[in-house]
Amino acid sequence: MSDVSPIKRVLVANRGEIALRIIRACHEEALEAVAVYSEPDRLAPHVRAADVAVPIGPAPAPQSYLSIPKLIGAARATGCQAVHPGYGFLSERAEFAQAVGDAGLIFVGPPPEAIRALGDKTEARRRMQAAGVPIVPGTMRPVADHVQARAEAVRLRLPVLLKAAAGGGGKGMRLVREEGELASALEAAQSEALKAFGAGEVYVEKYLEHQRHVEIQVLADSFGRVVALGERECSIQRRHQKLIEEAPSVAVTPALRRRMSDAAAAAASAVGYRSAGTIEFLLGPTGEFCFLEMNTRLQVEHPVTELVYGVDIVREQLRVAAGQPLRVHAGTLQPRGHAIECRITAEDPFHDFLPAAGTIAYLRPPAGPGIRWDGGIEAGNEVTLFYDPLIAKLIAWGETRAVALQRMQRALRELVIVGIPSSQAFHLRVMDDPDFQRGEIDIAYLERAGARLLSEEIRSELARPLAVVAALLAEECRTGAAPPPQPSTPWLPDRQSLWVHAARREALRE
Ligand code: MV4
C-alpha cells in the first residue's frame, strides 16, 4: 500500500482460516494486522500470525465475534484505521458496516446501503429487474396472505418456492408442489422466517428444476469501475452448505461467461457496489440464467477464482478500501487452467455429516505442485461446536480440469488428520465419481449420488483404513509409547509404512 494510504493497521474481525488469509494479504500490502480471539482460540494460528492480538471474550459468538462494541473497542484500542469482517459472523450486517463507519473506521466491504438493499431479497429483485438482470419469475413484494400466495402460485404454475424476504442461503424456504400444501407451507415459512430473521415476510418464486448453481465474482472500486472475474460452479452442496467448488464451470462457454459477467457487473453497478461481491445465478440445462441473490462479502470459495485469474481478491479489497483503483482490467482478464476446492470439515460423512468436536492430535497438510492449503488450525488446537466446522480449504490448480482433479486426488491422499473425523473420505469418493469427472453435476447431485458415494461397503473399504491410521497416530501422540514406524522420521512416517503398521496392529488386535 502506498505511503499516503489512510490505512496502516487493519482489525481482522474473524477467526480461523479466513482470519489467517486476511492477515497474509495485509502483510503483503505492508499493513499491520490485529487479530481478535475468543477464549478457546487463544492458541489459534491467526492469533500468532497477527502483529497484535486482542482477547474479546468467551466462546459463544454473541459474546465475542458477534459483539459489535467489543470489535470496535478492539480496533480503537489498537489504533486500527480499518476493519475487515471476513465471511459469516458480522460480514453481511449493514448495522456493523454502519457502526464501523460511525466510529471513524473504514469498513473493508461494500457501503451499508448496498448491504441493506441486497439483504432484502424482494428489494434486490426489484433492483435487478430495473437493471435488466434476468430474475426468476415470481412476486416482486412479499405476499399478504395464503389467498394471494395461491393466486400467484397458479399464475406462475406449480411447483413454487416460498422464500423469506429477509432470508438467503436457503433459510426460511418451502417448496410447494401442490395447491393443497400452500396454506400450511406459507405459515411454516413465515414463522420460520420470523424466528430466524425477526421478519416474517415471504414471497413466491417459480421453482426451477435441473439447475446448476453458478456465481460470478465481481470487484468494484470507488471510481465506478466494476470488474467481473468469471464464474464459480458451486452445485455440489448439502443443506445449502457448499462442499466442492470449481472455476471455470464446464457448463459455461466464453459467450455465456460474457453474458453472465455483464449481468453481474450491471447488478453491482445498480446498487452502487464497492469491494468484492458475488452474484448467485441458477443456470439451466439450455444456458438460460436467473439472478438468485447477491452476497455482499468475501466468500469461502474465493481461492478458485484467484487461481484461474491470477488476482488476489483480498489485496484488491484492501486497496479499494484505501481509496485506490483496482489493479485488474476487464479487457485483459482470461481464465487460465482449472481450480477445484474441497472444504475439509470436522464432520463425519458416514454419520449424516454429524459435526465433530475434539483436539487435532496430528495434522499433515498436503503440498506440492498446484496445491494450496488455506487452513487456520493445527495440531494441538481444539475444534469446538461453537463455530463453523471448516478445518481448511484444499485447492488444486491444473492446466486442465483433468490435471486439477488428479492433483486433488493426490493431495487428498497425502492429507492426514488425526484426532477428529473429517470429510476427507467423502471428497476422495466424489473425485473418483464418473459423473463428477464428466462434470455432470447440478444442485441435486448429492441427493442422487450420496448413497452410492457413502455406502456401508465404501465405508469399510475406505474409511476404515483412514480411521485406523488416524486412531493409531492419535494413540501414539497421546502415549508416546508405540515404536516409531521409521526411526528417521518418527512423526512423519510415509503412507505405506503407516498402512503396514496399521495392518499389523489390526492383526495383533484380532
Ligand atoms: C431456487 C431454486 C430453484 N428455483 N429458487 C437455495 C439457496 C438460495 N440461495 C436459493 N436456493 C434455491 N433457490 C428457485 N426459484 C433452488 C435453490 C436451491 C439451491 C440453489 C443453489 C444451490 C443449491 C441449492 C439447493 C437447493 C435449492
Side-chain angles (χ1 to χ4, degrees), residues 68-86:
I68 295 177
K70 280 184 178 168
L71 293 166
I72 289 178
R76 282 205 162 122
T78 54
C80 291
Q81 297 82 31
V83 177
H84 196 308

Side-chain angles (χ1 to χ4, degrees), residues 89-151:
F89 294 125
L90 295 166
S91 60
E92 295 191 278
R93 294 258 289 269
E95 73 261 35
F96 183 53
Q98 185 78 53
V100 167
D102 291 348
L105 300 162
I106 297 169
F107 184 71
V108 185
E113 298 75 32
I115 302 178
R116 211 169 283 124
L118 294 162
D120 176 341
K121 303 305 162 185
T122 60
E123 165 91 19
R125 281 167 61 74
R126 294 191 296 274
R127 300 275 199 121
M128 294 307 129
Q129 191 175 52
V133 178
I135 57 173
V136 186
T139 65
M140 302 310 289
R141 301 268 174 190
V143 289
D145 52 32
H146 68 89
V147 177
Q148 191 194 353
R150 182 169 303 122

